[in-house]
């Protein structure tokens, strides 16, 4: 088996994969692979990577403060508050340790185009469904995958997803977002 990666990325074929680590979309793709379906090679940028990004950049406290200022019953407040949070996220650079792990797996999969797909931890649960709430980006070159991962993380904070979590009583800061990186065929 090729070299092991850190805990920021994980192959979808890894036997230790879990929904808490990679989210609903990734776990479903992983199961399809285990069941013998022909699924293009893929890995997940884990929830741990998202958590590290949010904490190491100082975003956690800024996001928490932004959430406190949102009136969830006022569309303008919700729109402005979530836009501010997404702007904070996309203005930060992904840590080099995470980029290094991403680049390591991308080098194994070859020079191709990729789908960079959001995979929410609370996605496809018995009491919650985030299907279609966060972003997916197609035809992404390898060198652009880290930036698109940040864009997926930012989409965790779009109006629909934030309102859904609020109305469902799901704590915004205790769940997270993984990202599936899948070679396009």
């Amino acid at each position: 088996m090729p070299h092991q990666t850190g805990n920021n990325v994980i192959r979808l074929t890894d036997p230790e994969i879990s929904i808490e680590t990679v989210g609903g979309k990734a776990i479903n793709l992983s199961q399809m692979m285990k069941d013998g379906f022909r699924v293009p090679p893929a890995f997940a940028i884990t929830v741990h990577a998202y958590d590290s990004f949010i904490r190491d950049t100082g975003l956690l406290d800024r996001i928490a403060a932004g959430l406190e200022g949102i009136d969830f019953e006022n569309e303008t407040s919700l729109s402005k508050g979530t836009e501010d949070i997404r702007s904070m996220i996309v203005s930060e650079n992904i840590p080099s340790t995470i980029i290094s792990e991403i680049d390591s797996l991308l080098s194994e999969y070859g020079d191709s185009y990729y789908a960079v797909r959001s995979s929410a931890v609370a996605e496809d649960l018995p009491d919650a469904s985030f299907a279609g709430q966060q972003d997916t980006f197609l035809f992404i070159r390898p060198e652009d995958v880290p930036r698109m991962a940040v864009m997926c993380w930012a989409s965790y904070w779009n109006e629909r997803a934030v309102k859904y979590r609020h109305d469902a009583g799901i704590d915004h800061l205790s769940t997270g977002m993984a990202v599936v990186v899948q070679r396009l065929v």
Side-chain angles (χ1 to χ4, degrees):
M1 170 171 246
H3 62 278
Q4 292 298 313
T5 60
N7 56 0
N8 292 312
V9 300
I10 187 170
R11 292 172 183 84
L12 297 193
T13 55
D14 190 303
E16 301 299 315
I17 200 167
S18 69
I19 194 168
E20 297 83 13
T21 304
V22 299
K25 185 175 288 135
I27 209 72
N28 289 330
L29 286 167
S30 176
Q31 188 59 52
M32 289 174 64
M33 290 172 169
K34 289 176 187 166
D35 290 345
F37 287 90
R38 293 181 61 199
V39 177
F43 63 90
I45 303 169
T46 65
V47 173
H48 173 78
Y50 169 82
D51 289 342
S52 294
F53 172 74
I54 295 296
R55 290 183 201 310
D56 294 349
T57 57
L59 284 167
L60 183 63
D61 292 336
R62 292 168 37 208
I63 290 170
L67 285 169
E68 286 183 25
I70 294 175
D71 176 354
F72 287 92
E73 303 310 314
N74 180 300
E75 282 187 40
T76 303
S77 176
L78 179 63
S79 177
K80 175 76 170 102
T82 57
E83 180 182 330
D84 289 348
I85 291 170
R86 288 190 310 277
S87 293
M88 284 187 259
I89 292 169
V90 299
S91 70
E92 295 292 337
N93 292 317
I94 193 166
S96 60
T97 54
I98 297 172
I99 291 174
S100 177
E101 289 183 46
I102 292 168
D103 287 347
S104 178
L105 283 181
L106 286 172
S107 70
E108 292 178 21
Y109 294 165
D111 188 25
S112 180
Y113 286 101
Y114 291 86
V116 181
R117 310 171 67 191
S118 301
S119 185
V121 172
E123 190 171 67
D124 302 328
L125 296 176
D127 57 349
S129 177
F130 283 82
Q133 302 247 352
Q134 287 93 24
D135 292 340
T136 288
F137 302 94
L138 303 175
F139 299 101
I140 304 302
R141 298 294 308 156
E143 61 270 15
D144 296 324
V145 167
R147 172 65 26 218
M148 293 299 100
V150 172
M151 297 299 290
C152 285
W153 289 337
S155 75
Y156 178 76
W157 297 98
N158 71 42
E159 287 177 59
R160 291 182 319 273
V162 170
K163 179 72 167 140
Y164 184 86
R165 284 193 301 272
H166 172 77
D167 291 350
I170 298 170
D171 181 15
H172 301 285
L173 298 173
S174 67
T175 60
M177 170 76 73
V179 176
V180 173
V181 178
Q182 188 171 27
R183 190 166 54 115
L184 291 175
V185 294

